[in-house]
Amino acid sequence: MKAINSTIATAIGQYVGASVKTDKIKIKTIDVLSSEGITSEMLVAPKNGADPAFFDSVKAAVVAGFATNVQALLSKDTKTLSDQAKSDKRYWQQQIGSKIKDLRNALAKREAQGEDGEARGNVASFEARLKRDLTKYIAQIEKGEAFQFPAVEMLKYLKSASVLIK
């Protein structure tokens, strides 16, 4: 197949440009939410009996980002709408939840990173990973046969190294 034509190249370029712009806006939004003390847990719909004020204000902010015709549709009573309009309204209500979930997931990802951008949380220490890997290698060598190195001597060294790790 030959190279793509200029129409396709332009379309791809526009898509990538818009995508990069959207990603930058999302990062900026997460920076603002994070700096204001908003956590991913706060972007979960409140349980029955809990105060919905914060979550409702987040939903309102999402709706404010939609086009005016969508905002008008969402503000109408569902009972007064045609079947097509009801379907459209349902779609946009789902989009509200989807956009909040996108923000929640991005915040959760940010929360899982340390100050230097490295992952943190339930990551095993270097020593624990080394001990686990040595144990795995010892088991593989003990099960294997026909190595290109002296397996008995290798096992001796691996077991000695494993003992050194507390």
Side-chain angles (χ1 to χ4, degrees), residues 52-69:
F54 176 79
F55 194 75
D56 288 347
S57 67
V58 172
K59 287 192 324 188
V62 170
V63 171
F66 293 153
T68 54
N69 63 329

Side-chain angles (χ1 to χ4, degrees), residues 15-37:
Y15 163 74
V16 171
S19 176
V20 168
K21 184 178 178 183
T22 300
D23 290 346
K24 287 181 180 180
I25 293 169
K26 185 176 182 181
I27 290 168
K28 186 176 180 180
T29 302
I30 297 306
D31 288 343
V32 170
L33 291 172
S34 195
S35 71
E36 292 293 324

